[in-house]
Amino acid sequence: MASHDYVHGYSERESVRLSDQANTLEELLHSDTKYPAGSKVLEAGCGIGAQTIILSRNSPHAQITSIDISEESLDKARRFAAKEEVQNVQFRVESIFDLPFEDESFDHVFICFVLEHLNEPVKALASLRRVLKKGGTITVIEGDHGSCFTHPETGAGVKAWNSLVEVQAKLGGNSLIGRQVYPLLKRAGFTEITVSPRMVYSDSSRPQMEEGFVKRTIIPMVEGVRESAIEMEIIDAETFDRGIEDLHRTAEEFGTFNYMFFKGVGRK
Amino acid sequence: MASHDYVHGYSERESVRLSDQANTLEELLHSDTKYPAGSKVLEAGCGIGAQTIILSRNSPHAQITSIDISEESLDKARRFAAKEEVQNVQFRVESIFDLPFEDESFDHVFICFVLEHLNEPVKALASLRRVLKKGGTITVIEGDHGSCFTHPETGAGVKAWNSLVEVQAKLGGNSLIGRQVYPLLKRAGFTEITVSPRMVYSDSSRPQMEEGFVKRTIIPMVEGVRESAIEMEIIDAETFDRGIEDLHRTAEEFGTFNYMFFKGVGRK
């Protein structure tokens, strides 16, 4: 993937969305990842550093190397990390497919919301496996846009949602990848693989999820592909906008929203 | 719903499937439902008694009344209960919509895999609410066939799966009801509603789920609508059979299968 093909784009709004997402989902996705003091951790595809800050906070005495292919994203990540007074992270512009590290350089590898954007995810995992020590672990976190179902569920809402899936597919990614975390890790040669699905469910008894996840993470994510989806003739503007309105109803009094993340851990 | 319209039919095979399902899913769905000694519990729509046995085992000193509209199902439930030496259940042929009990007769109501078959689920819940004591609870368990996603996911597999949804819809039911448990309870006037989604996820590290859930529960359930779906011209035989083959691949080495149940509790 060329960095400019990143489905979510690189706007300021997108930076806010990723941070909102990480804050809302932090406990659900990250609370069980803590690396020991002194361990060397590679974060592959750190983007603007939304997950980096959490990794650093949960493993303050690990030595974290966070790489990304986009210089622009890394600049934001560096500023974000400085603001958060992160001490144990080194940022480097590198490609997952051409890692400048020796074999078995790291105790652990962490990769979150990255494989979905790559057209050769097994090759990426195999490349990461090379730099992992024997006995070390890889942690993979991905969502799956095919896991989404809502009430109410309207034709326009489904079409707007699916335009997100299709735009990402046209950019060479796969937003239906969460369900494949287990087979991908297996094909890349990892063992002792365990995958745990992590459900996000909201109804009006869970206003924090409706606000933080549906309204501030999910809907802006869909809105972010509006122009691309219309330009690619995946959907027309009128249907898209009606779909966004309908998605808002899933976070109202009688609405519900469901989405699944997958967290997998494998060993070399 | 007339009893002969029950989407899954009343065959012996279906009886086995429901029992398999309950055994596999018992811990996931039922382990947190335990009623106090002496409490009066109404199980609405007990069918052949698959859940009744579990209810009785988990609450051996509660007084359970289990009703169903089908005399034939109740006969099986009675035999099943006798075989399992169930002591605390009284079976009666009754309609949820015309309950012969006085207002506030029960401490608790339990209803599992029933609302999906009714075309007036809120009316059913309101009828059950009438016979519930003030402060008593209702527990609702439903699946949601729109929550299913698999790897691999093929056109034929999706069509076979969707034929199950469409047959049930033509019989006046709604197999996409799990996501609506919260709003249905709310519309029926219950308060303090909490809904917890319960994920079933299988990959080849979870052979018990692949065998017990995908191969012995899910696929036979889809196969059960084969004749109806073909007769209703929802799908042709060739596509259906190919779809079933494809669904089997989701329980093989690189396959994954995902499905969501919803358990809701509300108070009167």
Side-chain angles (χ1 to χ4, degrees), chain B residues 102-227:
Chain B
E102 291 189 6
D103 293 1
E104 307 191 8
S105 302
F106 294 94
D107 298 292
H108 302 286
V109 172
F110 179 87
I111 179 164
C112 178
F113 303 146
V114 175
L115 296 181
E116 61 174 319
H117 301 295
L118 308 178
N119 54 26
E120 295 184 293
V122 173
K123 195 176 161 193
L125 291 173
S127 175
L128 294 167
R129 188 171 177 277
R130 181 185 68 76
V131 301
L132 185 61
K133 291 181 188 170
K134 275 179 190 144
T137 67
I138 186 165
T139 298
V140 179
I141 300 176
E142 290 292 342
D144 191 308
H145 289 1
S147 73
C148 179
F149 58 103
T150 68
H151 179 72
E153 190 159 274
T154 68
V158 170
K159 279 179 190 159
W161 178 263
N162 285 342
S163 69
L164 177 66
V165 176
E166 288 182 46
V167 169
Q168 192 154 342
K170 289 205 177 181
L171 296 178
N174 175 13
S175 62
L176 312 180
I177 203 169
R179 70 191 75 180
Q180 291 191 45
V181 167
Y182 183 91
L184 291 173
L185 284 169
K186 198 160 179 170
R187 286 188 200 279
F190 291 96
T191 57
E192 295 175 42
I193 305 161
T194 56
V195 170
S196 73
R198 316 250 165 143
M199 173 89 187
V200 178
Y201 163 74
S202 76
D203 59 37
S204 60
S205 74
R206 306 180 183 215
Q208 208 177 338
M209 270 300 173
E210 288 194 326
E211 187 60 34
F213 186 69
V214 183
K215 291 187 185 169
R216 287 198 293 146
T217 301
I218 286 292
I219 292 175
M221 181 174 70
V222 182
E223 287 178 313
V225 301
R226 185 181 186 279
E227 306 317 319

Side-chain angles (χ1 to χ4, degrees), chain A residues 11 28 45 51 61 77 80 97 103 120 125-126 130 134 142 145 152 159 161 172 184 201 206 221 224 234 267-268:
Chain A
S11 66
L28 181 72
Q51 274 74 43
H61 303 295
F80 190 20
F97 295 102
D103 292 2
E120 296 184 293
L125 291 173
R130 182 185 67 74
K134 273 178 191 145
E142 290 291 344
H145 288 2
K159 279 179 191 160
W161 178 262
L184 290 173
Y201 164 74
R206 305 179 185 216
M221 182 173 70
I234 290 166
R267 197 173 291 278
K268 181 172 180 179

Side-chain angles (χ1 to χ4, degrees), chain A residues 2-258:
Chain A
S3 67
H4 64 275
D5 286 342
Y6 183 60
V7 64
H8 304 308
Y10 289 93
S11 66
E12 274 309 312
R13 180 170 188 191
E14 173 60 14
S15 303
V16 172
R17 188 188 68 80
L18 285 179
S19 300
D20 279 347
Q21 179 174 293
N23 291 332
T24 310
L25 300 175
E26 181 172 338
E27 198 187 322
L28 181 72
L29 300 181
H30 300 291
S31 59
D32 54 346
T33 298
K34 293 184 200 301
Y35 297 114
S39 59
K40 294 178 72 182
V41 178
L42 175 64
E43 183 196 8
C46 65
I48 61 159
Q51 274 74 43
T52 311
I53 309 303
I54 301 166
L55 267 187
S56 168
R57 191 159 49 217
N58 288 343
S59 303
H61 303 295
Q63 297 171 35
I64 302 170
T65 303
S66 294
I67 64 167
D68 200 273
I69 199 170
S70 161
E71 180 86 52
E72 191 187 341
S73 293
L74 265 194
D75 279 347
K76 287 180 187 167
R78 282 198 188 93
R79 287 203 300 273
F80 190 20
K83 192 181 147 209
E84 298 284 325
E85 298 181 355
V86 162
Q87 307 284 345
N88 61 332
V89 178
Q90 190 195 10
F91 291 99
R92 295 176 56 163
V93 178
E94 304 291 356
S95 162
I96 291 171
F97 295 102
D98 187 24
L99 296 167
F101 309 110
E102 291 189 6
D103 292 2
E104 308 192 7
S105 303
F106 294 94
D107 297 293
H108 303 286
V109 172
F110 179 87
I111 180 166
C112 178
F113 303 144
V114 174
L115 296 180
E116 61 173 318
H117 301 296
L118 307 178
N119 55 26
E120 296 184 293
V122 173
K123 195 175 161 194
L125 291 173
S127 174
L128 294 167
R129 189 172 176 276
R130 182 185 67 74
V131 301
L132 185 62
K133 291 181 188 170
K134 273 178 191 145
T137 68
I138 186 167
T139 298
V140 178
I141 301 176
E142 290 291 344
D144 191 309
H145 288 2
S147 73
C148 178
F149 58 103
T150 68
H151 179 73
E153 191 159 273
T154 68
V158 170
K159 279 179 191 160
W161 178 262
N162 285 342
S163 69
L164 177 66
V165 177
E166 288 181 48
V167 169
Q168 193 155 343
K170 290 206 175 178
L171 297 178
N174 174 12
S175 62
L176 312 179
I177 203 169
R179 70 190 76 181
Q180 292 192 46
V181 167
Y182 184 90
L184 290 173
L185 284 168
K186 198 160 179 170
R187 287 188 200 278
F190 291 96
T191 58
E192 296 176 40
I193 305 161
T194 56
V195 171
S196 74
R198 316 248 164 145
M199 173 89 186
V200 179
Y201 164 74
S202 76
D203 60 36
S204 59
S205 74
R206 305 179 185 216
Q208 208 177 339
M209 270 300 173
E210 288 195 325
E211 187 60 33
F213 187 69
V214 183
K215 292 188 186 168
R216 286 198 293 147
T217 302
I218 286 293
I219 293 176
M221 182 173 70
V222 182
E223 287 177 313
V225 300
R226 185 180 187 278
E227 307 317 320
S228 313
I230 292 167
E231 202 174 297
M232 291 175 182
E233 299 185 343
I234 290 166
I235 192 168
D236 62 90
E238 196 263 330
T239 307
F240 188 92
D241 296 341
R242 199 151 30 88
I244 294 293
E245 271 175 44
D246 290 348
L247 288 176
H248 276 282
R249 290 167 58 205
T250 70
E252 289 170 5
E253 191 183 0
F254 292 98
T256 67
F257 190 95
N258 303 270

